[in-house]
Amino acid sequence: MSIRLGDIAPNFQAKTSIGEIDFYEYLGNSWGILFSHPADYTPVCTTELGKTALLKSEFEKRNVKVLALSVDTLEKHSGWINDINETQKTSVDFPIIADEDRKVSTLYDFIHPNASATATVRSLLIIGPDKAVKLIITYPASTGRNFDEVLRVVDSLQLTANYSVATPANWKEGEDVIVVPAISTEDAIKKFPKGVKIVKPYLRYTPQPNK
Ligand code: BEZ
């Protein structure tokens, strides 16, 4: 099944490194990140899961629950987690799905047969508290994802959800943001007391509202 932005992320039950979970119960009202890896005991995945564990407080600050997936067994996950903790100087405590039967990988279209018939690609979804899919990225097996960029997208999505602003190219925390087109300039001036800079009628900046 192919999943697109705005679709409701389908629920599932799965075996994970912290026990059996129901995806929706695990997420609760939080934001979620579901991300797939080609296999256990592979070098790039080891660094990605280590980086995710090291960013634990950043995900918590943003109310994001993280859930990883690999198509190997729970036994393999458990030995690999020890290696990740040792080599990446961290402690992986988020769940990793043991998707041996490819049930979740198939549901989320994580296997791209022309890349590999059996291994999952590096896909990552950000899911909102409404369970709608907000971001989908897919990387090849040989390229590790940039988790600072993932956090930056979470920040952008949360600004849009909470303040009706968008973020410009290469935006970084603390920089000016863009008033969404749905808000009239008259309303924007009332809504953003820090000021609205009108460059064009459709391009209006305001200081980051939550700073
Ligand atoms: C990996 O670590 O998963 C990987 C590295 C290089 C090529 C393919 C996969």
Side-chain angles (χ1 to χ4, degrees):
M1 174 177 149
S2 117
I3 294 175
R4 296 178 178 176
L5 296 190
D7 290 356
I8 297 300
N11 195 24
F12 56 82
Q13 290 75 38
K15 275 187 303 180
T16 81
S17 53
I18 62 159
E20 190 81 35
I21 66 161
D22 175 280
F23 186 42
Y24 279 12
E25 273 178 27
Y26 173 69
L27 291 177
N29 294 321
S30 300
W31 290 72
I33 289 182
L34 173 66
F35 61 135
S36 60
H37 299 86
D40 292 5
Y41 294 106
T42 50
V44 175
C45 306
T46 300
T47 62
E48 287 195 322
L49 292 190
K51 180 58 80 182
T52 305
L54 288 165
L55 290 171
K56 176 184 165 131
S57 63
E58 296 297 324
F59 288 114
E60 282 177 353
K61 205 157 69 183
R62 293 163 174 83
N63 191 27
V64 177
K65 293 269 190 80
V66 171
L67 178 56
L69 175 149
S70 172
V71 293
D72 286 311
T73 62
L74 279 182
E75 292 68 35
K76 264 192 156 181
H77 282 6
S78 145
W80 184 40
I81 287 169
N82 291 336
D83 279 8
I84 298 167
N85 293 344
E86 178 198 324
T87 61
Q88 309 303 304
K89 310 273 180 286
T90 190
S91 177
V92 170
D93 60 5
F94 55 84
I96 306 175
I97 299 171
D99 196 35
E100 294 157 76
D101 60 4
R102 282 42 174 186
K103 187 181 86 178
V104 181
S105 301
T106 305
L107 186 62
Y108 275 85
D109 201 25
F110 288 158
I111 295 177
H112 295 194
N114 291 325
S116 164
T118 51
T120 42
V121 286
R122 275 180 215 293
S123 281
L124 181 149
L125 288 84
I126 298 178
I127 294 157
D130 56 358
K131 308 289 181 289
V133 176
K134 310 290 185 186
L135 171 88
I136 305 170
I137 53 168
T138 299
Y139 275 43
S142 52
T143 306
R145 287 158 284 200
N146 183 330
F147 287 83
D148 293 332
E149 168 63 4
V150 172
L151 288 170
R152 194 188 75 94
V153 178
V154 170
D155 286 342
S156 172
L157 288 165
Q158 293 186 344
L159 280 170
T160 304
N162 297 329
Y163 300 99
S164 306
V165 293
T167 53
N170 289 13
W171 172 83
K172 289 194 286 302
E173 176 76 8
E175 293 179 352
D176 285 357
V177 295
I178 288 174
V179 178
V180 296
I183 297 182
S184 69
T185 296
E186 192 187 354
D187 288 346
I189 290 164
K190 288 187 218 137
K191 191 174 168 66
F192 302 109
K194 292 179 188 167
V196 178
K197 188 170 87 189
I198 304 160
V199 179
K200 292 277 179 193
Y202 59 85
L203 178 59
R204 301 154 307 164
Y205 290 92
T206 189
Q208 186 177 330
N210 60 345
K211 278 280 151 188

